[in-house]
Amino acid sequence: AQSVAQPEDQVNVAEGNPLTVKCTYSVSGNPYLFWYVQYPNRGLQFLLKYITGDNLVKGSYGFEAEFNKSQTSFHLKKPSALVSDSALYFCAVRDEGNKLVFGAGTILRVKS
Amino acid sequence: DTAVSQTPKYLVTQMGNDKSIKCEQNLGHDTMYWYKQDSKKFLKIMFSYNNKELIINETVPNRFSPKSPDKAHLNLHINSLELGDSAVYFCASSPIAGGAGIQYFGAGTRLSVL
């Protein structure tokens, strides 16, 4: 079954520093991968997706993600973190049943 | 205008009651979804409709019944509520069925069963 894993429950980073939120995937065939963000008491918001093409995907709010087939990873990155980036981040993959399967989520805390 | 709106935002009820959550999207999308987010923030799909037709029905107790009167609306009715039903329920829509498209989420309905 298709799945994603987010190995870190929480990531802490200082404002202005680069951030990485990790995601690894397990799929058969070519993966459709997504990142979503959830701010407190809000619904999820789409950040970016990889379906095919360039391994470096750029998304909303300055985020980007790198698709790495050999490492089966799709880590979310941002060169300079903002306090306002603090939120819950979900990696997701489209499974063989044509639905999104989400990871457990990673809390990102950016401190000033 | 809110793209995907859910009502109510909060729902507190007793065990055994029946309740409904309503969802409307004004994005013109053909596909709508219901997700459940538990207390550990784990998010799982429950149902999906494409143009009023049920296309995804996960292993959900039959106390949960979705209804789509038109492609802009997807409601969720829950019978005989149980303590374990307490969660945040999210409605979403997308222009493409099948999980490849971007999904747009409502703000959620926090259901508390006492």
Side-chain angles (χ1 to χ4, degrees):
Chain A
Q2 325 284 55
S3 65
V4 289
Q6 295 180 243
E8 302 153 318
D9 291 337
Q10 183 166 318
V11 170
N12 298 310
V13 64
E15 187 175 31
N17 282 1
L19 69 87
T20 298
V21 183
K22 295 180 180 177
C23 173
T24 58
Y25 65 89
S26 173
V27 303
S28 54
N30 294 322
Y32 284 30
L33 295 160
F34 300 79
W35 276 102
Y36 282 80
V37 60
Q38 184 179 21
Y39 297 101
N41 300 315
R42 303 282 297 274
L44 277 69
Q45 294 178 32
F46 169 80
L47 280 179
L48 49 82
K49 68 176 178 178
Y50 173 83
I51 294 178
T52 187
D54 289 340
N55 290 341
L56 186 63
V57 180
K58 293 190 182 296
S60 307
Y61 312 122
F63 284 93
E64 58 189 28
E66 186 169 9
F67 172 70
N68 188 317
K69 190 171 183 177
S70 62
Q71 297 186 5
T72 62
S73 67
F74 189 56
H75 300 333
L76 182 70
K77 300 182 180 187
K78 187 173 182 181
S80 179
L82 300 172
V83 171
S84 57
D85 292 330
S86 298
L88 179 59
Y89 289 80
F90 289 98
C91 183
V93 66
R94 187 187 72 166
D95 78 354
E96 62 274 8
N98 266 340
K99 59 185 184 293
L100 278 188
V101 175
F102 288 86
T106 298
I107 297 170
L108 173 66
R109 294 206 193 279
V110 181
K111 296 184 179 179
S112 58
Chain B
D1 278 346
T2 304
V4 181
S5 58
Q6 299 179 224
T7 54
K9 191 171 176 65
Y10 300 96
L11 191 49
V12 181
T13 189
Q14 301 287 329
M15 275 198 318
N17 284 353
D18 303 338
K19 290 293 178 185
S20 291
I21 307 171
K22 295 186 177 182
C23 178
E24 176 181 5
Q25 54 95 2
N26 63 5
L27 297 168
H29 293 165
D30 285 344
T31 307
M32 296 184 71
Y33 311 81
W34 277 111
Y35 287 89
K36 179 181 180 180
Q37 186 175 46
D38 64 21
S39 58
K40 295 185 178 180
K41 303 297 185 184
F42 185 68
L43 193 69
K44 194 172 188 312
I45 191 168
M46 300 172 70
F47 302 102
S48 177
Y49 273 73
N50 186 57
N51 205 7
K52 302 194 296 176
E53 180 182 344
L54 182 66
I55 57 171
I56 293 174
N57 186 350
E58 289 295 281
T59 307
V60 176
N62 57 16
R63 299 181 294 103
F64 290 78
S65 53
K67 281 190 173 55
S68 182
D70 56 61
K71 72 175 191 177
H73 295 83
L74 180 61
N75 304 323
L76 183 65
H77 188 76
I78 315 170
N79 290 326
S80 303
L81 278 155
E82 300 178 356
L83 293 176
D85 297 333
S86 296
V88 181
Y89 292 84
F90 287 101
C91 177
S93 73
S94 68
I96 304 172
I102 298 169
Q103 295 188 17
Y104 297 79
F105 285 76
T109 296
R110 185 174 295 275
L111 172 64
S112 297
V113 182
L114 308 178

